[in-house]
Amino acid sequence: MSAANLRRVQAALVAVTFLTASAGAALAQQAPPASSAAQPASGMQVRQMQSGFVFAPEVRFTQVNDRSATLVGASAGWQMDRTLFVGAAGYVLANRERDFEMQYGGALVKFSIGGTRTAGLAPGLFVGLGTATITRPLSEFGMYGPWRPDPRPGRPSAVSGSTPVLLYDNIGVAEPQLNAFWNVNRWLRVEGGVGYRFVGAAEMMNRHLRGVSGSVSLQIGGH
């Protein structure tokens, strides 16, 4: 082989070697590392907390002084991640009369189980203060009649054990409750539940004001 042909062969071998090395380096850069391909996907999930101010008009159905009673009111406060609600609530007797009144307000705390799901349960506790006015028969106070007539004009001529006596006093209220809820969408929740109203401070009226109640509310906001 002549010297010129030998030089051509050597140049061709150098060119092939260079191209082969370049292609190998390019493939190595494109291929993912073997360790990352075999690494399992992480189970961690990232979710934005859904918290905010909520307002909830509410109606409660119960009995007060052996009569059917409807309480209307509302609660407002801050709900954290659709789970923990901390706020205030107030209620007033809707079918009130001069001798049949009750109103109270205070703090309300609720904890939603499964709050981010479509439906769930929300136990809660209300604690507050208020006032009440009712009538009770005179005989309950150990005063049995008849008594001497009242001489003033327009006054009853006689009283008896069934004569109504008007009672008014301040009251303390504690009401544990259990609610079921339905998240209609991110900003609207419907709740319904039951509770028991414990009443203290008014010794002569406590047993006539306490009792079971059912409620329906519409919670707006917070999501």
Side-chain angles (χ1 to χ4, degrees), residues 19 35 38 47 63 77 101 154 173 203:
L19 292 174
S35 59
R47 179 176 61 84
Q63 278 200 330
E101 299 179 354
V173 179
E203 295 182 2

Side-chain angles (χ1 to χ4, degrees), residues 9-127:
V9 171
Q10 290 176 343
L13 290 174
V14 172
V16 170
T17 302
F18 177 79
L19 292 174
T20 302
S22 300
L27 291 174
Q29 291 179 357
Q30 294 178 0
S35 59
S36 63
Q39 185 178 0
S42 173
M44 183 178 67
Q45 297 181 357
V46 178
R47 179 176 61 84
Q48 182 181 3
M49 291 185 67
Q50 300 171 359
S51 304
F53 178 81
V54 297
F55 173 76
E58 182 177 352
V59 179
R60 305 192 73 87
F61 305 97
T62 184
Q63 278 200 330
V64 174
N65 197 28
D66 302 322
R67 293 175 55 180
S68 296
T70 302
L71 292 163
V72 295
S75 61
W78 188 264
Q79 183 165 269
M80 291 170 276
D81 200 26
R82 289 194 183 182
T83 301
L84 178 63
F85 171 87
V86 179
Y91 307 94
V92 61
L93 196 59
N95 54 326
R96 56 196 292 126
E97 300 173 5
R98 187 184 67 86
D99 58 351
F100 187 62
E101 299 179 354
M102 185 169 67
Q103 45 276 319
Y104 55 89
L108 175 63
V109 177
K110 290 193 291 185
F111 183 84
S112 298
I113 302 172
T116 58
R117 300 177 181 175
T118 303
L121 296 175
L125 176 64
F126 170 88
V127 178

Side-chain angles (χ1 to χ4, degrees), residues 129-130 169-173 198-206:
L129 300 171
D169 207 343
N170 299 316
I171 60 174
V173 179
F198 294 94
V199 178
E203 295 182 2
M204 301 177 69
M205 298 194 294
N206 288 347

Side-chain angles (χ1 to χ4, degrees), residues 3 21 23 29 47 52 68 74 85 87 90 116 123 137-138 144 156 165 168 190 209 212 219 223:
Q29 291 179 357
R47 179 176 61 84
S68 296
F85 171 87
T116 58
L138 188 60
Y144 297 94
V165 176
Y168 168 86
V190 178
L209 301 177
V212 178
Q219 183 175 294
H223 309 325

